[in-house]
Amino acid sequence: MSGRWVAVLGLVLLASPLCGGSGRYFTEEDMEGIRQRIKSMFYHAYNSYLDNAFPYDELRPLTCDGQDTWGSFSLTLIDALDTLLVLGNNTEFQRVSSLLQDTVDFNMDVNASVFETNIRVVGGLLSAHLLSGRGGVEAEPGWPCAGPLLRMAADAAAKLLPAFQTSSGMPYGTVNLARGVSPSETPVTCTAGVGTFILEFAALSRLTGDPQFETAARHALLALWDTRSEIGLVGNHIDVQSRKWVAQDTGIGAGVDSYLEYLVKGSILLQDQGLLNMFLEYDRAIQNYTRFDDWYLWVQMHKGTVTMPIFQSLEAFWPGLQSLVGDLDGAIRTFQNYYSVWRQFGGLPEFYSITQGYTVDKREGYPLRPELIESAMYLFRATGDHVYLQFGLDAIESIEKIAKTPCGYASVKDLRDHKLDNRMESFFLAETIKYLYLLFDPAHFLHGAGEDWEVGGEDGGCVLGAGGYIFNTEAHPLDPAALHCCSRHARERQELRDILLSQSKPPPATHSQSETPKAAESQSESIALKPGERKAAPLLSCPVQPFSARLAVLGQVFTDNT
């Protein structure tokens, strides 16, 4: 990087306002009032969708009608289902859970995004399934290892599996739900579209006992890992058949973002040291080549040279991820940069030129994205600093003033003049509202507050919902304890099958006819304990922490060298 570029960047940073505000302290009464305000926002949007757009995927808030966008799934309803429970509306959660079972069919002749269907549909159904006990839904025997919403999630994911049938194991970007991958389908997929499956697919495999989902996700991750450049970076778009990089720009934003996110969250959800090691190695390259004064630029994946000195709104998840891996100082500084952009426009434009301090042409929109709110939630949990609550209030005020319409909330087409677009993406109810509410509810059960835990599993011996929920990239919470519970039962069933099978086989004909009956009988006593043996201790019903990372009470993973 030239000295001239560094100087310009320094001037921009000096001129940029930083967060800090007036240092307001929010009382519990203040936060309760704000939570009620957020609920009102949710129901204004949710009821507008039900009244004007259902069963279409999304609401069009300017014309008060609906449209299908990602596959004709009634997507907003699936995406908003667990938000209903987060807000405490168990009655509507129960009604919608039943409604979706009766109305949604994944056997459709529809081309669907593999990535979006996974994070929104599979993730939303999995989360609702895991939270259904809290929602007052009558549980099937063996829940959370069985249930109608789990079967729906598995059905949806099974429709995506043909996309993974490539020479590399990395998936196509689009699949026809009824007919599989079209012969004319492009093999070019973005990095996030390859590496954003391990949370949902591993959860499915461990809940159902069907390994094919986790196997597909891991093969894709490992294939992508093997394509990184000499300096340790991956590009933006890859040919999943030839494994050649088509777009070689890289950063932490669009096209790459959730791949990095899932390495960290997957390591926590699955207690997988290997995934964490992969992220930490990527992070070293990211810090070496893309970070400049706590901004993250776009660079060429092989050379590390700057290609785009811009900030993308999708990058705003990064401070939250930094806090999860223990880089709290870096997270705070990066958040300050991003908050300064928010304060400049009342939202985050899709692209922002760091050198010019302004929006990028044709990228001035703000579709009510959640990423900076998500980071604020993690940072408030980690620090207790009320500046993040102030940001949350700023976000509420801005969205209400700029985006509210008589029929929901509209995406902002241009932050310079606040013109609106006729679309309300499903993530507004799934993520933006949910993260706002959780930011102002530090005692919520999703934060691990309280001890209102549940029991589940085939023998009722699993402790569930004891905190440590992991949010997928669409803000759908997954419970690590449920995965462990069902995996334990699956192992025990397999061990029992193996034992019974071994007993059903005839003994090997190696002994002589003169063997005593007692000796022959001893060959069938493998179930019993031998003299002096002790029975192994039962497996824990909650996830253990076998590697050198700890999920702390405040929501951070601290490695040994932190």
Side-chain angles (χ1 to χ4, degrees):
M1 171 171 289
S2 68
R4 178 178 179 276
W5 159 243
V6 173
V8 170
L9 179 59
L11 289 173
V12 172
L13 289 171
L14 289 173
S16 298
L18 297 178
C19 66
S22 58
R24 173 180 174 180
Y25 179 82
F26 290 76
T27 65
E28 176 51 41
E29 184 178 0
D30 292 334
M31 289 194 280
E32 171 60 26
I34 294 170
R35 289 197 295 271
Q36 294 304 316
R37 186 174 177 183
I38 296 167
K39 284 186 178 182
S40 296
M41 293 173 67
F42 174 85
Y43 287 113
H44 176 64
Y46 179 77
N47 291 334
S48 293
Y49 168 77
L50 288 181
D51 293 342
N52 301 285
F54 178 79
Y56 290 102
D57 279 343
E58 292 179 358
L59 170 71
R60 298 204 304 170
L62 301 184
T63 52
C64 285
D65 56 13
Q67 64 178 346
D68 283 332
T69 53
W70 294 112
S72 191
F73 302 122
S74 299
L75 185 60
T76 294
L77 207 56
I78 294 176
D79 239 358
L81 183 53
D82 57 15
T83 309
L84 286 166
L85 190 61
V86 169
L87 300 182
N89 192 338
N90 291 3
T91 302
E92 182 68 356
F93 176 83
Q94 294 167 22
R95 185 189 76 85
V96 174
S97 295
S98 179
L99 177 65
L100 290 173
Q101 294 169 47
D102 294 337
T103 59
V104 175
D105 180 9
F106 297 115
N107 191 30
M108 298 181 292
D109 188 8
V110 170
N111 293 325
S113 165
V114 180
F115 170 84
E116 298 290 353
T117 303
N118 177 57
I119 67 170
R120 302 191 197 210
V121 177
V122 178
L125 292 170
L126 275 173
S127 175
H129 163 74
L130 292 172
L131 296 174
S132 59
R134 291 183 178 272
V137 176
E138 185 176 353
E140 284 190 8
W143 176 87
C145 314
L149 295 178
L150 177 60
R151 288 190 289 273
M152 287 182 68
D155 186 22
K159 298 293 185 181
L160 306 180
L161 285 178
F164 290 80
Q165 295 173 6
T166 63
S167 60
S168 66
M170 295 185 283
Y172 285 97
T174 303
V175 67
N176 185 283
L177 299 181
R179 295 182 281 109
V181 177
S182 168
S184 62
E185 177 65 29
T186 175
V188 177
T189 306
C190 71
T191 302
V194 172
T196 309
F197 295 92
I198 191 63
L199 291 185
E200 298 84 2
F201 276 31
L204 268 177
S205 285
R206 299 191 184 199
L207 291 172
T208 66
D210 184 347
Q212 65 176 331
F213 301 108
E214 183 171 353
T215 297
R218 286 191 178 276
H219 283 172
L221 277 180
L222 292 175
L224 192 56
W225 172 254
D226 289 339
T227 65
R228 66 197 188 281
S229 70
E230 303 84 351
I231 60 174
L233 295 172
V234 289
N236 197 272
H237 282 74
I238 192 169
D239 186 315
V240 299
Q241 294 288 12
S242 68
R243 306 179 188 232
K244 293 181 179 179
W245 287 101
V246 176
Q248 298 187 4
D249 288 342
T250 190
I252 61 171
V256 181
D257 49 356
S258 54
Y259 169 46
L260 301 172
E261 177 187 3
Y262 271 39
L263 292 177
V264 172
K265 292 182 175 180
S267 73
I268 302 170
L269 182 71
L270 307 175
Q271 294 298 291
D272 190 319
Q273 176 72 53
L275 295 179
L276 183 60
N277 289 343
M278 290 166 70
F279 171 79
L280 294 175
E281 186 161 335
Y282 276 129
D283 189 47
R284 283 190 287 271
I286 288 167
Q287 300 299 325
N288 285 338
Y289 294 101
T290 75
R291 177 186 171 191
F292 297 91
D293 290 329
D294 300 303
W295 294 96
Y296 291 83
L297 314 182
W298 286 78
V299 303
Q300 210 279 342
M301 65 176 288
H302 295 288
K303 302 176 182 178
T305 53
V306 175
T307 57
M308 293 187 292
I310 61 171
F311 157 64
Q312 296 181 355
S313 62
L314 284 170
E315 298 171 11
F317 82 101
W318 189 252
L321 199 68
Q322 287 179 294
S323 76
L324 282 176
V325 296
D327 183 11
L328 201 53
D329 290 340
I332 291 169
R333 293 193 300 268
T334 302
F335 184 92
Q336 289 178 337
N337 286 344
Y338 298 169
Y339 190 6
S340 72
V341 178
W342 181 287
R343 293 176 62 186
Q344 186 177 351
F345 296 100
L348 291 183
E350 293 288 72
F351 284 18
Y352 177 83
S353 172
I354 300 172
T355 54
Q356 297 175 354
Y358 207 62
T359 61
V360 175
D361 187 40
K362 298 181 180 180
R363 294 292 189 272
E364 305 92 347
Y366 169 55
L368 310 182
R369 291 198 187 278
E371 282 77 14
L372 194 57
I373 301 167
E374 176 188 9
S375 285
M377 182 196 74
Y378 282 115
L379 285 170
F380 179 62
R381 286 169 59 182
T383 68
D385 192 336
H386 283 222
V387 71
Y388 302 107
L389 299 179
Q390 181 61 56
F391 162 72
L393 184 57
D394 289 350
I396 293 169
E397 298 282 1
S398 180
I399 292 170
E400 288 274 78
K401 180 177 180 180
I402 297 173
K404 189 174 184 179
T405 74
C407 188
Y409 293 84
S411 298
V412 181
K413 187 174 184 178
D414 193 330
L415 277 171
R416 297 171 301 178
D417 55 18
H418 296 167
K419 288 182 179 178
L420 299 179
D421 200 3
N422 194 19
R423 188 175 185 187
M424 186 180 80
E425 291 237 32
S426 68
F427 60 64
F428 178 69
L429 295 180
E431 299 186 77
T432 306
I433 291 292
K434 184 185 295 159
Y435 282 135
L436 277 172
Y437 190 84
L438 292 174
L439 171 62
F440 286 97
D441 191 2
H444 199 278
F445 74 84
L446 286 178
H447 295 316
E451 295 184 0
D452 52 337
W453 303 336
E454 300 175 281
V455 296
E458 295 178 353
D459 56 2
C462 292
V463 177
L464 306 173
Y469 287 88
I470 305 302
F471 293 91
N472 87 335
T473 198
E474 191 78 2
H476 295 306
L478 303 174
D479 184 1
L483 274 60
H484 181 82
C485 168
C486 297
S487 296
R488 187 194 77 182
H489 288 312
R491 286 194 301 271
E492 290 172 348
R493 285 194 298 269
Q494 184 60 49
E495 289 170 0
L496 180 58
R497 282 194 294 266
D498 292 344
I499 290 171
L500 294 175
L501 182 62
S502 69
Q503 299 310 304
S504 67
K505 293 179 179 179
T510 57
H511 57 277
S512 66
Q513 296 293 331
S514 61
E515 271 187 314
T516 64
K518 183 176 181 180
E521 181 183 347
S522 68
Q523 295 175 3
S524 62
E525 293 181 349
S526 59
I527 297 178
L529 294 177
K530 295 179 180 179
E533 281 187 339
R534 297 179 62 185
K535 188 174 181 180
L539 293 170
L540 296 175
S541 59
C542 289
V544 295
Q545 303 279 348
F547 63 89
S548 61
R550 300 291 182 262
L551 182 60
V553 174
L554 293 176
Q556 295 173 270
V557 171
F558 295 100
T559 54
D560 287 345
N561 59 358
T562 299

